[in-house]
Amino acid sequence: MTAALNKDTRNTWHILGPGAIGCLFACHLQQAGLAVRLIGRRPEHGVRRIRLNTDNGEQEQVFAPDHPAQPITHLLITVKAHQTTAALQAVRQRLTAQTLIVLMQNGMGTWQALQDLPTRRIVVATTTEGAHRPAADRVIHAGRGETWVGTLDPRYQADAARVCRDWSATGLVVEEDPEILHRLWQKLAINCAINPLTVLYDCPNGALLNNTEALELMQQVCREVEQVMGSALGEKPSGLFELAKAVSAKTSSNISSMLQDVRKQQQTEIDHITGYLLDQARRLGIACPCNERILKQIKAR
Ligand SMILES: NC(=O)c1ccc[n+]([C@@H]2O[C@H](COP(=O)([O-])OP(=O)(O)OC[C@H]3O[C@@H](n4cnc5c(N)ncnc54)[C@H](OP(=O)(O)O)[C@@H]3O)[C@@H](O)[C@H]2O)c1
């Protein structure tokens, strides 16, 4: 099935970073009746066709070309964390004080890169949807999950609610989370506990559970992360090691995105995962020798 191009363009969503997750959301948003434009590294002049494979079969969405002079009213950022500053540079002139931005990435710390934009209407989202892109025009929706939306600035709570309302029409599970900072930290904690270890042991998530040395390392990582997270949020989180093991078991055959990046010889998101944790640890005066060592080892690759 190929979707038509005639959409209401008053509330166009521009997707900055049409990779696996960007295209997944682009296809679902357009299918739900919203106008969508894709912004990649290079301007595209013709329409762009994306085939999306889901458990319901294959559908094709046709995206009208982006007009680089058109102001952006709604921007969904789905570049990898370390690509954010450069990607925003290219669209900066098109943002206004009214632009609504949704930042949807793994890792933390890119929020700061958005501080000097013309708009303060910034909403953050974190998703457990799984997608990969075997070809530029093809996206596989590999695993259904949930997307949580919230804002770090309570003045923009209504924007988060509106994003949830609009995106719920896609059929994806999209919920508002008034405690989004807590959820972002939880995701960061799990990422710290699993992703770098899969790189060090060059294995799928589940294989960490059969490796005594990896499990000991995971436990040390979790102890340090709990201290930092607890201090940052003013609470005493516990049970991270058990949770990390449960996630490794549930996603046992997955190759983590960090290991995929290393295998493709691409930059990883480690600076926004373990790196962010260590920045916060330094700020809070907490020693994290195990995570320090891991960061160095990953960056040396
Ligand atoms: N994939 C998942 O299942 C999943 C699940 C949850 C969270 N996430 C998170 O979502 C974020 C995106 O992940 P992903 O898997 O979708 O990565 P991805 O497939 O690499 O997508 C990133 C996209 O951004 C594009 N890009 C890079 N620099 C750009 C620039 N300056 N201007 C415009 N576009 C630019 C890339 O283009 P090129 O292709 O030319 O490099 C690529 O298409 C990451 O933070 C990831 O951790 C992913």
Side-chain angles (χ1 to χ4, degrees):
M1 186 186 78
T2 299
L5 281 173
N6 296 328
K7 304 280 177 190
D8 177 0
T9 54
R10 281 167 301 180
N11 291 319
T12 301
W13 277 94
H14 283 82
I15 315 287
L16 182 60
I21 280 291
C23 285
L24 177 73
F25 276 80
C27 288
H28 278 91
L29 290 171
Q30 184 160 276
Q31 196 183 25
L34 298 161
V36 177
R37 302 288 180 268
L38 308 178
I39 309 178
R41 285 182 201 268
R42 287 162 288 279
E44 291 189 32
H45 304 294
V47 296
R48 175 127 176 236
R49 293 170 186 275
I50 306 275
R51 286 179 294 141
L52 172 68
N53 286 86
T54 68
D55 42 17
N56 293 327
E58 181 174 290
Q59 52 139 305
E60 184 182 66
Q61 291 288 332
V62 183
F63 295 95
D66 175 40
H67 291 292
Q70 189 188 13
I72 293 175
T73 59
H74 298 70
L75 183 69
L76 169 58
I77 302 177
T78 51
V79 290
K80 292 210 165 163
H82 51 268
Q83 298 166 332
T84 312
T85 304
L88 272 170
Q89 204 52 39
V91 296
R92 206 193 153 81
Q93 299 302 324
R94 301 171 62 187
L95 307 180
T96 71
Q98 295 312 312
T99 304
L100 172 58
I101 296 182
V102 179
L103 186 62
M104 184 154 61
Q105 302 168 316
N106 273 345
M108 286 170 75
T110 47
W111 174 263
Q112 276 84 337
L114 277 60
Q115 291 307 305
D116 62 345
L117 295 178
T119 177
R120 302 299 330 128
R121 294 180 67 196
I122 300 167
V123 163
V124 281
T126 177
T127 188
T128 58
E129 299 289 353
H132 59 97
R133 200 170 55 126
D137 65 346
R138 186 152 173 251
V139 180
I140 314 278
H141 191 182
R144 284 186 177 268
E146 294 169 340
T147 301
W148 295 90
V149 179
T151 177
L152 304 180
D153 184 336
R155 284 176 298 170
Y156 303 108
Q157 202 83 48
D159 285 325
R162 208 187 119 207
V163 169
C164 285
R165 210 173 41 243
D166 289 357
W167 289 13
S168 292
T170 59
L172 297 173
V173 178
V174 184
E175 302 279 351
E176 192 180 350
D177 188 347
E179 303 287 337
I180 196 75
L181 184 61
H182 190 271
R183 197 173 286 275
L184 294 176
W185 262 104
Q186 268 184 338
K187 181 102 187 253
L188 185 93
I190 293 293
N191 282 336
C192 285
I194 298 177
N195 291 16
L197 274 59
T198 63
V199 174
L200 296 181
Y201 294 97
D202 190 22
C203 67
N205 295 357
L208 296 172
L209 301 171
N210 307 320
N211 179 334
T212 316
E213 188 186 293
L215 273 179
E216 274 171 22
L217 190 56
M218 187 189 278
Q219 190 164 22
Q220 287 174 43
V221 168
C222 289
R223 274 198 211 111
E224 292 181 1
V225 174
E226 276 182 346
Q227 269 191 297
V228 181
M229 181 175 167
S231 182
L233 296 177
E235 56 188 50
K236 190 164 174 14
S238 61
L240 179 58
F241 182 45
E242 293 309 315
L243 183 60
K245 284 192 290 183
V247 172
S248 301
K250 197 173 166 199
T251 59
S252 63
S253 59
N254 283 18
I255 301 295
S256 75
S257 56
M258 197 174 285
L259 180 53
Q260 287 183 41
D261 286 337
V262 168
R263 286 181 176 173
K264 286 190 257 173
Q265 300 192 320
Q266 288 176 351
Q267 187 177 342
T268 71
E269 292 182 291
I270 190 80
D271 283 334
H272 290 87
I273 297 176
T274 308
Y276 181 83
L277 174 90
L278 292 170
D279 286 346
Q280 297 308 306
R282 274 189 285 277
R283 184 177 66 80
L284 297 162
I286 298 169
C288 291
C290 179
N291 280 285
E292 293 273 9
R293 211 169 43 245
I294 288 174
L295 179 74
K296 279 198 192 117
Q297 287 172 326
I298 302 291
K299 285 178 85 78
R301 278 165 193 252

